[in-house]
Structure formats: C-alpha cells, structure tokens
Amino acid sequence: GTPPRAADAQSHAAESEGAGEGGEGGRGRAAEEAALNGWRGGGEAAARMTSEEWKQHQVGQAQKWPAPAYMTQSNPRGASYTAYRDETYEIITRWRADTKISYRPHAKAPGSKSHVRYEEYSRAKTVAQALALGSWPADWCWDYERGFIRVMGPVRDEPLDPSKVGETDGLSDVDKVICRWYLKELAKKFGMTVEELKDGKCGGESLIMRAHRLVAQRDARRALEAARRSGRKVSEAEVLASLRNWAFAKNASRQNVLPEGKEWVWSDNMGLTRDRTGDIHVTASSHTYPEVVQLLNQYLIDRLPPDARSFKWTSLNVNCNYAAKLHRDAQNFGPSFIKAFGDFKGGELNYWPEDDRTVDKLENFRKEDKISLDLKNGLALFNGNSGHSVEPFEGERFSVVYFTAGCYDKATAAAKDGCR
C-alpha cells in the first residue's frame, strides 16, 4: 500500500549523543582537517586487495551489517531497483555534520572505481569527514540501503527541508550539500522543477510529501482531461493511481477510529472542515491540489444511482491501509457514500443500520444486527452516525468517504463557494 513512512526513520539512526545543533559537534576545524589529512591516501593499500582476499573478507559481513528492515519489502512505488526509497531520503536528510557513522570494511569489490573511492571515504567517522573524503549524499543513500553505513548519532529531530532554510541560517557544509542535492534529486525523480517543489507547499507538508502530491495532481489532471475528451467515466484505475501517488499525512486526531495499539492513521480530509479553533474553511490541500479532489468527486458523480442523483456532499475523508475500529461519526449531516480501492482481501464495512444511539457502549452491539458491505466491488450509502467498522484485510486498501459536514450551515459564503 502506501509506503512505510519515514516518520519512524529516526529509529534507524541509533541512539542520539547530543541535543544541540552545531557545525562540527564541538570539534575544532583544525583538528578535523588534521585527521582527514592523516587518512587521505590511506585507502591505497586496501585498494590493492585481490578478489580472492576480498571474497574471504565478506564471510559473515552481511549478518554483521544488515540492510535496513524496510529494504526487505518490495518498493511500494513500483520504482526500479536503483531508485532510493522515501525512507532513505528522510533518514539521510536528518544527518548533521557531526553525526557519527561507521562503514562496513571493504564492502565493495576490487577492480572498480567505486571500490577505490569506498576504501578512501569509508575511513570517515562523521558525515563531515565522509563529505571531505569524497562521498556525496547519493553515495550515502546507496551505502545506507545496503547496510554499509551504521549511524550512531546525533541526528536531527526532523528532516532538513531545503524549502524552509535560507542562505543565512548558519548551515554547515554538510547541510548545504544535502539541501542542494535533495531538491535536485526529488525534482529529477518526480519529473518536475525545483521551483514547483519549493513554491506553494501547504502547512505541515514535507518536501517528499509535496513531491508525491504534485505527481498525484498531475496524474489526476491527465485522467480528468482524458475522460472529458472521450466522453467516458473516470475509471477506478485512474482513481487508484492518484491515491497511490498521494502522500497521506499522519492523523492522530481521529481517536474514534484508531485500531488497537495505533497512535495515528494515514488519513486526510478534503473539502470543507472545521479546525481545532472552530474556523470553518476548505482545506489547504483542496486548494493546492484541486484536480485530485475533482477526480475523486467525478468518480462518484459518474456512478450515482438514479435514486441518489440528488445526493450532495461537502467533504471527503480519504484513508489508507488501516481497519477502523467500531465507532460512530459525530460531525456528519445526513447519509454518506463510501468506496474502497486497491488490491486487498477482506476489508468489508461492518454496519449497524438500526443503531439509534440508545446503546451507549459500542462493545454491546450485537453481531447479528450488523450487515457486511463489500466496498471493493461497489459503492455503499450508509449513515456514518450509526455504528460501523472495517474488517481486517490483507493487501493495499484505500477508502474514500463522501459526506456533508455538520458545520456547513455555519460556513461563510466564501467557504461554501470554495466547496462548489
């Protein structure tokens, strides 16, 4: 489904050894240079290692230096083997000049330029030293994904975001290199300009989220144009492609749906919403990526049954890869439509249509009173204010809920126009 996010990336960087941001972690520049000068050229002897010697040295090394756990999973975006993972980007962009690292000894086979380079820069003990010894962020990504680098810290709490820093922000040489590389790397990977990535970001969006959402927007626009040109319906495959590209936010506010043991879910609201301050407005992501919202809306418009043609909605709740626990929605007005997308088994909607809220405790619902709705193969119209839950599932599952926010009548004229 949606790729495992790098919000947990810090767990891949071992224990942090300091809280303060600083160029070289308290070490003087002169001492750093002296250490580097002592190492430069020191890899020449190792570079003369024979193939047989190298093979003998590799015995047991893969077990001592395992690749990150996320690398055992297939690339969720379907990219090529050499395309770096989202998790890797968000790990590398947490590194600082004084982040302590160690390299797996003699990891690359002799007889190539990469072996000679690796023998030189693998002597580094910090990221700053690795940079000075000739390695670059692309090398760090490649080596980290293969388990060639071990990180001891300290690392940043959040990834370094090039769109949020200026030239006068006290950046180290490592910071500057990472910023320039990361912007160009994402732009190249996703087929867009650096300016597109930097400009127009929504609040709370990371650079990698911005990139994925721009791709979802671009594909949604193409799908809408193709459907209009040929006079056809928006296809389920087109909706699924947009949902796969969309970068979901971690949502910890939906406490009523959180599965057991979870602190957040991948879930976004689009259209009209009321925020925690009580302000009623159309979400920023809806304005920034309008074709994504239009594509989801058009899918339902194309398929509304004749007896539901008058159905209207103000908002969308878009979910990824979680089975909502038994709950009632509190802020909906009237019925909702729901549809699930993806390649999954299970995931039916359990629904208690006769729930009139006289049963206070949801755990007291009787199983025989529920109905099971197959959302993979059709739309369902239901009352979200009645009890409902999602069955466990295997595979990739997205869902879209179309509903009217209970605050609509109190919305300003501008907010209502935004919905239209």
Side-chain angles (χ1 to χ4, degrees):
T2 285
R5 302 293 166 141
D8 300 321
Q10 219 170 350
S11 64
H12 295 291
E15 173 179 359
S16 174
E17 297 185 3
E21 290 287 332
E24 302 299 329
R27 297 182 62 179
R29 187 66 183 174
E32 190 84 11
E33 282 298 323
L36 289 173
N37 288 332
W39 288 341
R40 286 191 177 99
E44 292 178 2
R48 293 194 292 269
M49 177 184 292
T50 67
S51 295
E52 187 59 36
E53 290 171 336
W54 180 81
K55 290 177 182 178
Q56 292 175 2
H57 184 78
Q58 300 311 301
V59 177
Q61 289 297 305
Q63 291 72 35
K64 294 178 182 178
W65 296 78
Y70 62 81
M71 291 301 296
T72 62
Q73 305 168 9
S74 60
N75 196 324
R77 300 286 181 186
S80 68
Y81 177 69
T82 55
Y84 302 127
R85 305 292 183 92
D86 288 357
E87 298 95 324
T88 304
Y89 285 122
E90 298 219 21
I91 289 168
I92 301 302
T93 51
R94 291 174 189 266
W95 291 2
R96 300 169 7 180
D98 61 338
T99 297
K100 294 180 176 63
I101 58 175
S102 60
Y103 281 90
R104 172 176 159 177
H106 315 304
K108 298 186 180 180
S112 65
K113 289 183 179 179
S114 64
H115 170 75
V116 176
R117 288 185 63 241
Y118 185 85
E119 293 300 321
E120 181 72 13
Y121 68 67
S122 65
R123 297 171 175 269
K125 301 300 181 184
T126 68
V127 174
Q129 292 172 1
L131 179 66
L133 287 169
S135 68
W136 296 92
D139 297 311
W140 306 339
C141 290
W142 177 274
D143 293 341
Y144 186 85
E145 287 192 346
R146 285 150 184 81
F148 297 168
I149 300 179
R150 191 171 288 156
V151 183
M152 286 74 76
V155 297
R156 296 175 181 273
D157 292 335
E158 296 294 334
L160 183 64
D161 191 336
S163 67
K164 295 181 179 178
V165 298
E167 294 297 325
T168 60
D169 285 348
L171 300 180
S172 69
D173 289 345
V174 167
D175 295 337
K176 293 174 183 177
V177 167
I178 287 176
C179 281
R180 290 194 296 267
W181 163 80
Y182 191 36
L183 269 174
K184 293 178 180 178
E185 180 74 8
L186 290 184
K188 179 180 68 174
K189 178 178 179 178
F190 293 101
M192 56 192 64
T193 66
V194 169
E195 288 70 26
E196 284 178 305
L197 277 175
K198 293 178 64 175
D199 299 337
K201 279 176 55 186
C202 297
E205 276 187 343
S206 67
L207 207 61
I208 194 76
M209 287 178 68
R210 169 70 169 162
H212 281 299
R213 289 179 173 188
L214 282 171
V215 172
Q217 166 82 349
R218 182 175 62 197
D219 289 352
R221 183 185 302 118
R222 291 172 178 169
L224 287 166
E225 290 172 352
R228 289 167 186 155
R229 280 197 307 268
S230 58
R232 62 169 175 81
K233 296 178 180 179
V234 167
S235 72
E236 186 159 331
E238 288 167 331
V239 172
L240 180 57
S242 187
L243 292 172
R244 283 173 170 162
N245 284 323
W246 182 260
F248 286 80
K250 275 185 176 181
N251 193 329
S253 64
R254 302 200 65 205
Q255 294 293 314
N256 62 329
V257 307
L258 292 181
E260 191 69 30
K262 296 286 187 180
E263 296 181 355
W264 52 268
V265 291
W266 299 121
S267 181
D268 284 310
N269 285 331
M270 299 177 180
L272 195 70
T273 191
R274 189 205 303 263
D275 64 22
R276 294 179 180 179
T277 68
D279 184 57
I280 302 170
H281 58 273
V282 173
T283 64
S285 62
S286 302
H287 288 301
T288 307
Y289 310 101
E291 277 89 354
V292 174
V293 184
Q294 290 167 18
L295 182 72
L296 299 178
N297 285 336
Q298 192 61 49
Y299 179 86
L300 179 59
I301 291 169
D302 289 344
R303 290 162 176 82
L304 280 174
D307 56 353
R309 288 293 179 187
S310 61
F311 179 78
K312 299 290 189 294
W313 62 98
T314 64
S315 312
L316 307 175
N317 179 239
V318 189
N319 307 290
C320 172
N321 283 347
Y322 73 92
K325 71 179 182 181
L326 179 57
H327 68 285
R328 296 175 176 131
D329 297 326
Q331 306 298 327
N332 296 7
F333 177 79
S336 304
F337 263 107
I338 184 171
K339 176 69 173 72
F341 303 86
D343 182 12
F344 61 92
K345 294 181 180 179
E348 296 84 0
L349 181 71
N350 297 317
Y351 174 47
W352 280 260
E354 302 302 322
D355 174 25
D356 58 3
R357 292 182 174 254
T358 57
V359 177
D360 292 333
K361 295 183 178 180
L362 298 180
E363 58 267 27
N364 291 335
F365 279 8
R366 300 191 313 169
K367 291 184 179 180
E368 55 266 31
D369 292 337
K370 75 175 181 182
I371 60 175
S372 181
L373 302 175
D374 178 8
L375 304 182
K376 184 176 183 179
N377 296 307
L379 293 161
L381 183 68
F382 75 110
N383 180 3
N385 297 316
S386 297
H388 57 286
S389 66
V390 174
E391 278 291 296
F393 60 89
E394 294 180 357
E396 169 196 58
R397 184 184 186 275
F398 303 91
S399 67
V400 182
V401 183
Y402 304 81
F403 66 98
T404 294
C407 61
Y408 177 75
D409 283 345
K410 298 179 181 178
T412 64
K416 292 179 179 178
D417 287 343
C419 289
R420 299 187 184 96

